[in-house]
Amino acid sequence: MKKVLSIVLALALCVSCCAMLTACGEKKTDAKYKIGICQLVEHVALDAATEGFKQAVIDELGEDAVEFDLQNGQNDANTCSTIVNQFVSNKVDLIMANATPALQAAAAATAEIPILGTSVTEYGVALEIKDFNGTVGGNISGTSDLAPLDKQVEMITAWCPDAKTVGLLYCSKEANSQYQVEYVKTELEKKNVTATLYPFADSNDLAQICTTAADNCDVIYVPTDNTVAENTGIINNICEPKKIPLIGGDEGICAGCGTATLCISYYDLGYTTGKMAVKVLTGEAKISEMPIGYADKQTPKYNKQNCEALDIAPLDGYEAIEAK
């Protein structure tokens, strides 16, 4: 009887061990990290940044180690606030804020959850930081989409050397757009070029303001402005028939309504942000000590169709924007 009992116990122990080994060998399917992504609005540049971000995280951690919750702010700051507050309630491990209003909403929502911005031009302006030294501190860092503004000013005068008046068209609700056009205005005036600000509140008055600018200026400049990027068709339908060249702050804007641009890769910018996210999530780096990252390369490009319509010969050293 004792032998029988011993055999039964041994078999039971064997089955138990096998079950434990099987369980240990099973691949965990639950996501280890939850990342909330608040993207201000859908357009080419921001979409590319989000895709680059996600791919970098997947490349570093593996697809099964992360769960993304991508939400669209519909170009509305209040909607962004609702989205990031939900991320906080869901206790995500990290928030990626794509564009300035998304970053501002995230910063207001939490001081605990790590926040990485991307497609944000100037963090000191966006977060109202005096004497900004390149590191936000606290729970915020990220990447900037700012292409050198002095080079953009040079581009305006190179493409339109006879221009006496430049219209600076931008959305007044976007703090980083205001920062860019004020810088460009100051630099143009140093070159004895008259620069006039043409702010619009939203897409509802864009056509009217753009028409006024086109009627009164030799050339128009638009910064990296999300509302402009979402409404390039409106601007193109006004400026192209009037033969008004437009220098754009990024490739997406230039492709839709511009003549030339000094652009960065938003996909690469997002990818850099994703690699920063991995370092934060794994504890390799402290977000409070992370300086803001910038694009390593800027590429001068031109819109072939627009140049042909305006009878403008492309300058040497510029690449044609590829049709999407």
Side-chain angles (χ1 to χ4, degrees):
M1 189 65 185
K2 288 182 179 180
K3 288 183 178 180
V4 172
L5 184 58
S6 297
I7 293 171
V8 171
L9 290 172
L11 287 171
L13 181 61
C14 182
V15 170
S16 177
C17 288
C18 288
M20 290 175 65
L21 288 171
T22 301
C24 289
E26 287 178 353
K27 188 175 182 180
K28 184 178 179 181
T29 55
D30 294 337
K32 182 177 180 181
Y33 300 109
K34 292 182 180 179
I35 298 179
I37 300 174
C38 180
Q39 179 174 318
L40 175 63
V41 67
E42 288 184 2
H43 65 66
V44 175
L46 299 191
D47 291 348
T50 292
E51 287 307 307
F53 174 84
K54 291 170 63 178
Q55 192 59 55
V57 175
I58 290 171
D59 287 347
E60 296 281 335
L61 297 177
E63 196 164 2
D64 293 335
V66 62
E67 177 183 313
F68 298 105
D69 184 0
L70 173 59
Q71 299 291 330
N72 186 339
Q74 304 298 330
N75 205 19
D76 181 75
N78 292 328
T79 302
C80 288
S81 294
T82 300
I83 290 169
V84 294
N85 281 319
Q86 188 61 53
F87 289 161
V88 174
S89 297
N90 292 341
K91 298 180 179 179
V92 299
D93 297 298
L94 183 140
I95 295 172
M96 194 278 263
N98 194 346
T100 299
L103 175 69
Q104 292 169 328
T110 178
E112 303 297 330
I113 297 173
I115 300 167
L116 287 174
T118 194
S119 312
V120 175
T121 304
E122 222 290 329
Y123 283 74
V125 172
L127 299 174
E128 298 181 349
I129 302 172
K130 284 188 176 182
D131 301 320
F132 180 59
N133 64 4
T135 301
V136 176
N139 65 322
I140 299 173
S141 188
T143 55
S144 168
D145 63 356
L146 180 63
L149 292 172
D150 55 344
K151 292 183 179 180
Q152 294 184 50
V153 172
E154 291 174 5
M155 183 180 299
I156 295 170
T157 56
W159 278 81
C160 307
D162 297 327
K164 302 298 182 184
T165 55
V166 177
L168 308 175
L169 182 69
Y170 68 102
C171 180
S172 58
K173 293 180 179 179
E174 298 193 31
N176 281 313
S177 295
Q178 181 83 42
Y179 167 81
Q180 292 173 82
V181 295
E182 287 180 353
Y183 180 95
V184 171
K185 175 179 171 62
T186 299
E187 294 303 307
L188 284 171
E189 289 175 345
K190 290 178 182 178
K191 297 176 180 291
N192 296 317
V193 176
T194 300
T196 304
L197 300 179
Y198 288 93
F200 61 90
D202 52 41
S203 58
N204 294 321
D205 64 344
L206 172 57
Q208 178 185 347
I209 300 300
C210 182
T211 298
T212 301
D215 286 342
N216 291 278
C217 300
D218 300 319
V219 58
I220 290 176
Y221 168 80
V222 294
T224 52
D225 185 293
N226 292 295
T227 307
V228 168
E230 194 182 18
N231 295 279
T232 56
I234 293 174
I235 297 172
N236 191 63
N237 289 339
I238 294 168
C239 292
E240 193 170 285
K242 293 178 180 291
K243 302 289 187 180
I244 301 297
L246 184 147
I247 305 301
D250 67 57
E251 181 174 348
I253 290 173
C254 187
C257 63
T259 304
T261 184
L262 183 65
C263 67
I264 64 170
S265 167
Y266 276 82
Y267 181 90
D268 291 347
L269 196 69
Y271 198 93
T272 297
T273 315
K275 293 178 74 172
M276 294 170 70
V278 172
K279 290 181 178 180
V280 172
L281 291 170
T282 60
E284 183 181 342
K286 294 180 180 179
I287 194 167
S288 62
E289 299 174 356
M290 277 186 163
I292 299 303
Y294 293 84
D296 294 329
K297 179 183 178 183
Q298 301 89 38
T299 305
K301 293 189 176 184
Y302 73 96
N303 182 329
K304 182 178 179 181
Q305 185 274 335
N306 184 268
C307 286
E308 290 175 350
L310 273 58
D311 298 321
I312 295 176
L315 299 183
D316 291 338
Y318 282 74
E319 299 177 9
I321 295 174
E322 295 181 6
K324 302 296 183 181

Short mmCIF file of all heavy atoms in Angstrom, two decimals, residues 55-105:
data_model
loop_
_atom_site.label_atom_id
_atom_site.label_comp_id
_atom_site.label_asym_id
_atom_site.label_seq_id
_atom_site.Cartn_x
_atom_site.Cartn_y
_atom_site.Cartn_z
N GLN A 55 6.96 52.78 -34.49
CA GLN A 55 7.91 51.81 -35.04
C GLN A 55 9.16 51.72 -34.20
O GLN A 55 9.70 50.62 -33.98
CB GLN A 55 8.27 52.18 -36.48
CG GLN A 55 9.02 51.08 -37.22
CD GLN A 55 8.22 49.79 -37.30
OE1 GLN A 55 7.08 49.78 -37.77
NE2 GLN A 55 8.80 48.70 -36.83
N ALA A 56 9.64 52.84 -33.69
CA ALA A 56 10.84 52.82 -32.84
C ALA A 56 10.60 52.02 -31.57
O ALA A 56 11.46 51.23 -31.15
CB ALA A 56 11.26 54.25 -32.50
N VAL A 57 9.45 52.22 -30.95
CA VAL A 57 9.13 51.49 -29.73
C VAL A 57 9.03 49.99 -30.00
O VAL A 57 9.56 49.17 -29.25
CB VAL A 57 7.82 52.01 -29.11
CG1 VAL A 57 7.42 51.17 -27.90
CG2 VAL A 57 7.96 53.48 -28.70
N ILE A 58 8.38 49.64 -31.11
CA ILE A 58 8.24 48.22 -31.48
C ILE A 58 9.61 47.62 -31.79
O ILE A 58 9.92 46.49 -31.39
CB ILE A 58 7.29 48.08 -32.68
CG1 ILE A 58 5.86 48.41 -32.25
CG2 ILE A 58 7.36 46.67 -33.27
CD1 ILE A 58 4.88 48.51 -33.40
N ASP A 59 10.43 48.36 -32.52
CA ASP A 59 11.77 47.86 -32.86
C ASP A 59 12.60 47.59 -31.61
O ASP A 59 13.39 46.64 -31.58
CB ASP A 59 12.50 48.87 -33.75
CG ASP A 59 11.95 48.91 -35.17
OD1 ASP A 59 11.17 48.00 -35.54
OD2 ASP A 59 12.30 49.85 -35.91
N GLU A 60 12.44 48.42 -30.60
CA GLU A 60 13.26 48.30 -29.40
C GLU A 60 12.69 47.29 -28.40
O GLU A 60 13.45 46.55 -27.77
CB GLU A 60 13.37 49.67 -28.71
CG GLU A 60 14.09 50.73 -29.52
CD GLU A 60 15.60 50.58 -29.49
OE1 GLU A 60 16.11 50.01 -28.52
OE2 GLU A 60 16.26 51.03 -30.44
N LEU A 61 11.36 47.24 -28.26
CA LEU A 61 10.75 46.42 -27.21
C LEU A 61 10.06 45.17 -27.73
O LEU A 61 9.83 44.23 -26.97
CB LEU A 61 9.74 47.26 -26.43
CG LEU A 61 10.28 48.46 -25.65
CD1 LEU A 61 9.13 49.22 -25.01
CD2 LEU A 61 11.29 48.02 -24.60
N GLY A 62 9.71 45.16 -29.01
CA GLY A 62 8.92 44.05 -29.55
C GLY A 62 7.44 44.41 -29.55
O GLY A 62 6.95 45.13 -28.67
N GLU A 63 6.73 43.91 -30.53
CA GLU A 63 5.32 44.28 -30.71
C GLU A 63 4.44 43.83 -29.55
O GLU A 63 3.44 44.47 -29.22
CB GLU A 63 4.80 43.67 -32.02
CG GLU A 63 3.51 44.29 -32.51
CD GLU A 63 3.22 43.98 -33.96
OE1 GLU A 63 4.02 43.25 -34.58
OE2 GLU A 63 2.20 44.46 -34.47
N ASP A 64 4.79 42.70 -28.91
CA ASP A 64 3.96 42.17 -27.83
C ASP A 64 4.20 42.86 -26.49
O ASP A 64 3.50 42.59 -25.52
CB ASP A 64 4.22 40.66 -27.67
CG ASP A 64 3.74 39.87 -28.87
OD1 ASP A 64 2.83 40.35 -29.57
OD2 ASP A 64 4.27 38.76 -29.11
N ALA A 65 5.20 43.73 -26.43
CA ALA A 65 5.56 44.35 -25.15
C ALA A 65 4.91 45.71 -24.94
O ALA A 65 5.13 46.34 -23.92
CB ALA A 65 7.08 44.49 -25.05
N VAL A 66 4.11 46.16 -25.92
CA VAL A 66 3.55 47.50 -25.80
C VAL A 66 2.15 47.54 -26.40
O VAL A 66 1.83 46.83 -27.35
CB VAL A 66 4.46 48.54 -26.51
CG1 VAL A 66 4.56 48.24 -28.00
CG2 VAL A 66 3.99 49.95 -26.27
N GLU A 67 1.32 48.37 -25.79
CA GLU A 67 -0.05 48.61 -26.29
C GLU A 67 -0.22 50.11 -26.51
O GLU A 67 -0.03 50.90 -25.59
CB GLU A 67 -1.06 48.11 -25.27
CG GLU A 67 -2.51 48.39 -25.65
CD GLU A 67 -3.47 47.94 -24.57
OE1 GLU A 67 -3.32 46.81 -24.06
OE2 GLU A 67 -4.36 48.74 -24.20
N PHE A 68 -0.55 50.50 -27.74
CA PHE A 68 -0.74 51.91 -28.08
C PHE A 68 -2.22 52.26 -28.07
O PHE A 68 -3.05 51.51 -28.58
CB PHE A 68 -0.18 52.22 -29.47
CG PHE A 68 1.30 51.99 -29.61
CD1 PHE A 68 1.78 50.90 -30.31
CD2 PHE A 68 2.21 52.89 -29.06
CE1 PHE A 68 3.14 50.68 -30.46
CE2 PHE A 68 3.57 52.69 -29.20
CZ PHE A 68 4.04 51.57 -29.90
N ASP A 69 -2.53 53.40 -27.50
CA ASP A 69 -3.88 53.95 -27.57
C ASP A 69 -3.79 55.28 -28.30
O ASP A 69 -3.45 56.30 -27.71
CB ASP A 69 -4.46 54.13 -26.16
CG ASP A 69 -5.92 54.60 -26.18
OD1 ASP A 69 -6.47 54.79 -27.29
OD2 ASP A 69 -6.50 54.79 -25.10
N LEU A 70 -4.05 55.25 -29.61
CA LEU A 70 -3.92 56.44 -30.45
C LEU A 70 -5.26 57.17 -30.55
O LEU A 70 -6.26 56.58 -30.97
CB LEU A 70 -3.43 56.05 -31.85
CG LEU A 70 -3.39 57.15 -32.91
CD1 LEU A 70 -2.52 58.31 -32.50
CD2 LEU A 70 -2.93 56.57 -34.26
N GLN A 71 -5.25 58.44 -30.16
CA GLN A 71 -6.47 59.25 -30.19
C GLN A 71 -6.23 60.54 -30.96
O GLN A 71 -5.16 61.13 -30.87
CB GLN A 71 -6.93 59.58 -28.76
CG GLN A 71 -7.25 58.38 -27.89
CD GLN A 71 -8.50 57.66 -28.34
OE1 GLN A 71 -9.42 58.28 -28.89
NE2 GLN A 71 -8.55 56.35 -28.12
N ASN A 72 -7.24 60.97 -31.71
CA ASN A 72 -7.15 62.17 -32.55
C ASN A 72 -7.87 63.33 -31.88
O ASN A 72 -9.04 63.24 -31.54
CB ASN A 72 -7.79 61.87 -33.91
CG ASN A 72 -7.62 63.00 -34.91
OD1 ASN A 72 -7.38 64.15 -34.53
ND2 ASN A 72 -7.74 62.69 -36.18
N GLY A 73 -7.15 64.44 -31.70
CA GLY A 73 -7.73 65.60 -31.04
C GLY A 73 -8.63 66.46 -31.91
O GLY A 73 -9.18 67.45 -31.42
N GLN A 74 -8.78 66.10 -33.20
CA GLN A 74 -9.65 66.83 -34.12
C GLN A 74 -9.33 68.33 -34.16
O GLN A 74 -10.21 69.17 -34.30
CB GLN A 74 -11.12 66.63 -33.73
CG GLN A 74 -11.57 65.18 -33.65
CD GLN A 74 -11.46 64.45 -34.98
OE1 GLN A 74 -11.59 65.07 -36.03
NE2 GLN A 74 -11.24 63.14 -34.93
N ASN A 75 -8.03 68.65 -33.99
CA ASN A 75 -7.55 70.04 -34.03
C ASN A 75 -8.26 70.94 -33.02
O ASN A 75 -8.52 72.12 -33.26
CB ASN A 75 -7.72 70.64 -35.44
CG ASN A 75 -6.73 71.77 -35.69
OD1 ASN A 75 -5.73 71.90 -35.00
ND2 ASN A 75 -7.03 72.60 -36.68
N ASP A 76 -8.54 70.36 -31.85
CA ASP A 76 -9.25 71.09 -30.81
C ASP A 76 -8.56 70.86 -29.46
O ASP A 76 -8.39 69.72 -29.02
CB ASP A 76 -10.71 70.64 -30.74
CG ASP A 76 -11.49 71.39 -29.68
OD1 ASP A 76 -11.82 72.57 -29.92
OD2 ASP A 76 -11.76 70.81 -28.61
N ALA A 77 -8.15 71.94 -28.80
CA ALA A 77 -7.42 71.83 -27.54
C ALA A 77 -8.26 71.17 -26.45
O ALA A 77 -7.74 70.41 -25.63
CB ALA A 77 -6.96 73.22 -27.09
N ASN A 78 -9.56 71.47 -26.41
CA ASN A 78 -10.43 70.87 -25.40
C ASN A 78 -10.55 69.36 -25.58
O ASN A 78 -10.57 68.61 -24.60
CB ASN A 78 -11.82 71.51 -25.43
CG ASN A 78 -11.80 72.96 -24.98
OD1 ASN A 78 -10.99 73.34 -24.13
ND2 ASN A 78 -12.66 73.78 -25.55
N THR A 79 -10.60 68.94 -26.84
CA THR A 79 -10.65 67.49 -27.11
C THR A 79 -9.35 66.82 -26.67
O THR A 79 -9.36 65.72 -26.11
CB THR A 79 -10.89 67.23 -28.61
OG1 THR A 79 -12.11 67.87 -29.01
CG2 THR A 79 -11.00 65.74 -28.90
N CYS A 80 -8.23 67.50 -26.90
CA CYS A 80 -6.93 66.97 -26.43
C CYS A 80 -6.93 66.81 -24.92
O CYS A 80 -6.43 65.81 -24.39
CB CYS A 80 -5.80 67.90 -26.86
SG CYS A 80 -5.42 67.87 -28.62
N SER A 81 -7.51 67.77 -24.21
CA SER A 81 -7.57 67.69 -22.75
C SER A 81 -8.40 66.49 -22.30
O SER A 81 -8.01 65.77 -21.37
CB SER A 81 -8.18 68.98 -22.18
OG SER A 81 -7.34 70.09 -22.42
N THR A 82 -9.51 66.26 -22.97
CA THR A 82 -10.35 65.11 -22.64
C THR A 82 -9.58 63.81 -22.86
O THR A 82 -9.64 62.88 -22.04
CB THR A 82 -11.62 65.11 -23.51
OG1 THR A 82 -12.37 66.31 -23.27
CG2 THR A 82 -12.50 63.90 -23.19
N ILE A 83 -8.85 63.74 -23.96
CA ILE A 83 -8.10 62.53 -24.30
C ILE A 83 -7.02 62.24 -23.25
O ILE A 83 -6.92 61.13 -22.74
CB ILE A 83 -7.46 62.67 -25.69
CG1 ILE A 83 -8.53 62.64 -26.78
CG2 ILE A 83 -6.43 61.56 -25.93
CD1 ILE A 83 -8.03 63.04 -28.16
N VAL A 84 -6.21 63.24 -22.92
CA VAL A 84 -5.10 62.99 -22.00
C VAL A 84 -5.60 62.73 -20.58
O VAL A 84 -4.98 61.96 -19.83
CB VAL A 84 -4.05 64.13 -22.03
CG1 VAL A 84 -3.36 64.18 -23.38
CG2 VAL A 84 -4.67 65.47 -21.69
N ASN A 85 -6.70 63.34 -20.20
CA ASN A 85 -7.27 63.05 -18.88
C ASN A 85 -7.74 61.60 -18.80
O ASN A 85 -7.63 60.96 -17.75
CB ASN A 85 -8.43 64.00 -18.57
CG ASN A 85 -7.94 65.37 -18.10
OD1 ASN A 85 -7.00 65.47 -17.34
ND2 ASN A 85 -8.58 66.43 -18.58
N GLN A 86 -8.23 61.08 -19.93
CA GLN A 86 -8.61 59.66 -19.97
C GLN A 86 -7.37 58.78 -19.88
O GLN A 86 -7.38 57.74 -19.20
CB GLN A 86 -9.37 59.36 -21.26
CG GLN A 86 -9.98 57.95 -21.31
CD GLN A 86 -11.00 57.73 -20.20
OE1 GLN A 86 -11.93 58.52 -20.04
NE2 GLN A 86 -10.82 56.67 -19.43
N PHE A 87 -6.29 59.20 -20.52
CA PHE A 87 -5.03 58.45 -20.39
C PHE A 87 -4.59 58.39 -18.93
O PHE A 87 -4.13 57.36 -18.44
CB PHE A 87 -3.92 59.13 -21.21
CG PHE A 87 -4.06 59.00 -22.70
CD1 PHE A 87 -3.39 59.86 -23.57
CD2 PHE A 87 -4.85 58.00 -23.27
CE1 PHE A 87 -3.49 59.74 -24.93
CE2 PHE A 87 -4.97 57.88 -24.65
CZ PHE A 87 -4.29 58.75 -25.48
N VAL A 88 -4.72 59.51 -18.23
CA VAL A 88 -4.33 59.56 -16.82
C VAL A 88 -5.21 58.61 -16.00
O VAL A 88 -4.71 57.87 -15.14
CB VAL A 88 -4.42 61.00 -16.27
CG1 VAL A 88 -4.17 61.02 -14.76
CG2 VAL A 88 -3.41 61.90 -16.98
N SER A 89 -6.51 58.63 -16.27
CA SER A 89 -7.43 57.73 -15.56
C SER A 89 -7.10 56.27 -15.83
O SER A 89 -7.23 55.41 -14.94
CB SER A 89 -8.87 58.02 -15.99
OG SER A 89 -9.27 59.32 -15.63
N ASN A 90 -6.66 55.99 -17.05
CA ASN A 90 -6.31 54.62 -17.42
C ASN A 90 -4.91 54.21 -16.94
O ASN A 90 -4.48 53.08 -17.16
CB ASN A 90 -6.39 54.44 -18.94
CG ASN A 90 -7.82 54.54 -19.46
OD1 ASN A 90 -8.78 54.39 -18.70
ND2 ASN A 90 -7.97 54.80 -20.74
N LYS A 91 -4.21 55.16 -16.32
CA LYS A 91 -2.87 54.91 -15.77
C LYS A 91 -1.90 54.35 -16.81
O LYS A 91 -1.25 53.34 -16.61
CB LYS A 91 -2.96 53.97 -14.57
CG LYS A 91 -3.77 54.54 -13.42
CD LYS A 91 -3.84 53.58 -12.23
CE LYS A 91 -4.63 54.21 -11.09
NZ LYS A 91 -4.73 53.28 -9.91
N VAL A 92 -1.84 55.05 -17.95
CA VAL A 92 -0.87 54.66 -18.97
C VAL A 92 0.54 54.87 -18.43
O VAL A 92 0.75 55.64 -17.49
CB VAL A 92 -1.07 55.45 -20.29
CG1 VAL A 92 -2.44 55.19 -20.88
CG2 VAL A 92 -0.86 56.95 -20.07
N ASP A 93 1.50 54.19 -19.03
CA ASP A 93 2.88 54.31 -18.57
C ASP A 93 3.59 55.53 -19.14
O ASP A 93 4.57 56.01 -18.56
CB ASP A 93 3.66 53.04 -18.96
CG ASP A 93 3.11 51.81 -18.27
OD1 ASP A 93 3.15 51.76 -17.03
OD2 ASP A 93 2.64 50.89 -18.97
N LEU A 94 3.09 56.01 -20.29
CA LEU A 94 3.72 57.17 -20.93
C LEU A 94 2.73 57.80 -21.89
O LEU A 94 1.91 57.10 -22.49
CB LEU A 94 4.99 56.74 -21.68
CG LEU A 94 5.82 57.84 -22.36
CD1 LEU A 94 7.32 57.56 -22.17
CD2 LEU A 94 5.53 57.93 -23.85
N ILE A 95 2.80 59.12 -22.02
CA ILE A 95 1.96 59.84 -22.98
C ILE A 95 2.85 60.45 -24.05
O ILE A 95 3.84 61.12 -23.74
CB ILE A 95 1.15 60.97 -22.29
CG1 ILE A 95 0.15 60.37 -21.29
CG2 ILE A 95 0.42 61.83 -23.32
CD1 ILE A 95 -0.55 61.41 -20.43
N MET A 96 2.51 60.20 -25.31
CA MET A 96 3.17 60.89 -26.42
C MET A 96 2.21 61.95 -26.94
O MET A 96 1.09 61.63 -27.34
CB MET A 96 3.56 59.93 -27.54
CG MET A 96 4.55 60.55 -28.54
SD MET A 96 3.79 61.59 -29.79
CE MET A 96 3.65 60.44 -31.15
N ALA A 97 2.64 63.20 -26.89
CA ALA A 97 1.80 64.32 -27.32
C ALA A 97 2.33 64.86 -28.64
O ALA A 97 3.42 65.41 -28.70
CB ALA A 97 1.81 65.42 -26.26
N ASN A 98 1.54 64.68 -29.69
CA ASN A 98 1.96 65.04 -31.04
C ASN A 98 1.37 66.39 -31.42
O ASN A 98 0.20 66.49 -31.76
CB ASN A 98 1.52 63.95 -32.02
CG ASN A 98 2.19 64.07 -33.37
OD1 ASN A 98 2.78 65.09 -33.68
ND2 ASN A 98 2.10 63.04 -34.18
N ALA A 99 2.18 67.45 -31.32
CA ALA A 99 1.86 68.85 -31.63
C ALA A 99 1.63 69.63 -30.34
O ALA A 99 1.32 69.07 -29.28
CB ALA A 99 0.68 69.00 -32.57
N THR A 100 1.79 70.93 -30.43
CA THR A 100 1.82 71.80 -29.26
C THR A 100 0.56 71.75 -28.39
O THR A 100 0.67 71.59 -27.17
CB THR A 100 2.11 73.25 -29.70
OG1 THR A 100 3.39 73.29 -30.33
CG2 THR A 100 2.12 74.19 -28.51
N PRO A 101 -0.65 71.89 -28.94
CA PRO A 101 -1.83 71.84 -28.07
C PRO A 101 -1.97 70.51 -27.33
O PRO A 101 -2.45 70.48 -26.19
CB PRO A 101 -3.00 72.05 -29.05
CG PRO A 101 -2.40 72.81 -30.18
CD PRO A 101 -1.02 72.25 -30.33
N ALA A 102 -1.54 69.42 -27.96
CA ALA A 102 -1.57 68.12 -27.28
C ALA A 102 -0.59 68.10 -26.12
O ALA A 102 -0.88 67.58 -25.04
CB ALA A 102 -1.25 67.00 -28.27
N LEU A 103 0.60 68.68 -26.32
CA LEU A 103 1.59 68.76 -25.26
C LEU A 103 1.08 69.62 -24.11
O LEU A 103 1.23 69.26 -22.93
CB LEU A 103 2.90 69.34 -25.80
CG LEU A 103 3.99 69.58 -24.76
CD1 LEU A 103 4.53 68.27 -24.22
CD2 LEU A 103 5.12 70.42 -25.35
N GLN A 104 0.51 70.75 -24.43
CA GLN A 104 0.00 71.65 -23.39
C GLN A 104 -1.10 70.97 -22.58
O GLN A 104 -1.15 71.10 -21.35
CB GLN A 104 -0.53 72.94 -24.03
CG GLN A 104 0.57 73.80 -24.65
CD GLN A 104 0.04 74.93 -25.51
OE1 GLN A 104 -1.02 74.80 -26.13
NE2 GLN A 104 0.77 76.04 -25.56
N ALA A 105 -1.96 70.22 -23.25
CA ALA A 105 -3.04 69.50 -22.55
C ALA A 105 -2.47 68.43 -21.63
O ALA A 105 -2.91 68.27 -20.49
CB ALA A 105 -3.99 68.88 -23.57
#
